[in-house]
């Protein structure tokens, strides 16, 4: 009869945990890629007045929500079954928290798409659309960068990405101020100006959630909960 040693049992448990953790990371990467695509398509749909593209992003949102639910279930099961400690526990908790922030980014992408659809036919303001396009491109790049920083566990890069959020804050203030000025001079653009304000706000809030993910990268590496850009976040 074969009797497994205590050392052997521990080794097998460790291997099983590592295998489950790898599955968790793969699922997290899938969530990140789906949300990255949603943000990219949402911003392009708005800038290009593409209603069909906006509708496709909205239709796919349930897949993102399902993936985030899977991750929550997987992380809680992993904690319950293996009771990880120190670095292993931080790894699991980071995925649990960061996946929630990333799913919220997907929600804002959907909100941008709804604005695209609802704004169809409204009088456009070319100079504001140029600023929105710039802001959207910057937001997409920030999100791609934070996903890469997370996968590489690059704390230094995460701190730099968090600082990039100040650009979005400034762009939001600029767009709001310019929209108010234009709307005061031309009542016909009040509806479109309101939507520009909304979309710029959604993009800025995506930046806030990117900053949250940066905070979880710091937690993953240092085990410390820090608040980056505390005076700029809006929810």
């Amino acid at each position: 009869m074969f009797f497994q040693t205590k050392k052997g049992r521990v080794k097998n448990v460790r291997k099983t945990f590592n295998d489950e953790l790898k599955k968790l990371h793969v699922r997290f990467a899938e969530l990140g890629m789906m949300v990255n695509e949603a943000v990219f398509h949402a911003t392009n749909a708005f800038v290009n007045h593409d209603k069909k593209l906006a509708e496709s992003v909205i239709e796919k949102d349930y897949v993102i929500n399902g993936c985030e639910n899977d991750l929550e279930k997987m992380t809680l099961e992993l904690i319950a079954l293996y009771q990880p400690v120190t670095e292993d526990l931080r790894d699991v908790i980071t995925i649990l928290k960061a996946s929630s922030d990333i799913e919220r980014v997907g929600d804002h992408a959907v909100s941008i798409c709804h604005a695209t659809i609802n704004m169809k036919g409204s009088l456009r303001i070319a100079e504001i659309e140029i600023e929105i396009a710039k802001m959207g491109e910057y937001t997409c790049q920030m999100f791609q960068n934070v996903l890469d920083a997370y996968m590489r566990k690059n704390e230094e890069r995460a701190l730099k990405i968090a600082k990039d959020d100040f650009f979005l804050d400034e762009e939001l203030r600029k767009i709001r101020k310019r929209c108010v000025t234009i709307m005061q001079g031309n009542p016909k653009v009040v509806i479109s100006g309101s939507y520009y304000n909304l979309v710029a706000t959604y993009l800025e809030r995506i930046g806030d959630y990117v900053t949250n993910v940066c905070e979880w990268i710091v937690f993953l590496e240092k085990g410390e909960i820090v608040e980056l850009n505390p005076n700029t976040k809006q929810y």
Side-chain angles (χ1 to χ4, degrees), residues 95-109:
I95 290 177
L96 177 64
K97 295 293 187 178
S99 62
S100 178
D101 287 322
I102 288 174
E103 189 275 334
R104 289 293 293 137
V105 170
D107 288 341
H108 285 309

Side-chain angles (χ1 to χ4, degrees), residues 153-215:
K153 297 182 179 181
N154 191 328
E155 178 194 350
E156 183 179 350
R157 191 177 183 194
L159 294 173
K160 291 180 180 178
I161 293 168
K163 291 180 181 179
D164 291 340
D165 187 40
F166 291 114
F167 173 83
L168 296 181
D169 297 334
E170 183 57 35
E171 280 297 296
L172 176 60
R173 283 191 289 270
K174 186 191 301 181
I175 289 170
R176 281 178 173 172
K177 183 178 180 180
R178 188 59 185 145
C179 279
V180 169
T181 300
I182 294 173
M183 286 188 291
Q184 287 174 340
N186 184 2
K188 293 181 180 179
V189 297
V190 168
I191 293 176
S192 55
S194 298
Y195 279 117
Y196 291 134
N197 272 315
L198 267 179
V199 171
T201 300
Y202 294 140
L203 290 171
E204 190 276 333
R205 288 182 179 174
I206 289 174
D208 289 341
Y209 283 106
V210 168
T211 301
N212 285 355
V213 177
C214 291
E215 292 171 357

Side-chain angles (χ1 to χ4, degrees), residues 2 4-15:
F2 173 75
Q4 191 177 40
T5 64
K6 182 178 179 181
K7 185 177 180 180
R9 288 197 299 272
V10 171
K11 186 177 180 180
N12 285 340
V13 169
R14 181 71 218 183
K15 182 181 182 303

Side-chain angles (χ1 to χ4, degrees), residues 92-178:
V92 177
I93 288 175
T94 299
I95 290 177
L96 177 64
K97 295 293 187 178
S99 62
S100 178
D101 287 322
I102 288 174
E103 189 275 334
R104 289 293 293 137
V105 170
D107 288 341
H108 285 309
V110 168
S111 295
I112 292 170
C113 290
H114 281 300
T116 301
I117 294 168
N118 294 333
M119 192 178 174
K120 194 73 175 176
S122 299
L123 190 63
R124 300 278 175 160
I125 308 172
E127 65 175 280
I128 300 298
E129 295 211 341
I130 291 172
E131 292 300 319
I132 291 284
K134 187 200 313 184
M135 194 176 182
E137 183 178 349
Y138 195 90
T139 303
C140 289
Q141 191 60 57
M142 268 188 74
F143 190 72
Q144 290 174 17
N145 289 344
V146 82
L147 291 177
D148 184 67
Y150 180 89
M151 294 303 173
R152 298 175 187 273
K153 297 182 179 181
N154 191 328
E155 178 194 350
E156 183 179 350
R157 191 177 183 194
L159 294 173
K160 291 180 180 178
I161 293 168
K163 291 180 181 179
D164 291 340
D165 187 40
F166 291 114
F167 173 83
L168 296 181
D169 297 334
E170 183 57 35
E171 280 297 296
L172 176 60
R173 283 191 289 270
K174 186 191 301 181
I175 289 170
R176 281 178 173 172
K177 183 178 180 180
R178 188 59 185 145

Side-chain angles (χ1 to χ4, degrees), residues 23-63:
K23 292 179 185 177
L24 201 61
H25 281 293
V26 169
R27 195 66 173 143
F28 182 84
E30 290 173 353
L31 176 67
M33 287 187 289
M34 284 190 290
V35 173
N36 184 52
E37 183 180 77
V39 173
F40 178 77
H41 287 320
T43 54
N44 277 281
F46 185 81
V47 170
N48 297 316
H49 316 161
D50 192 335
K51 182 179 176 180
K52 287 186 177 179
L53 182 58
E55 288 173 342
S56 72
V57 173
I58 295 170
E59 289 170 0
K60 294 176 183 177
D61 187 53
Y62 80 95
V63 181

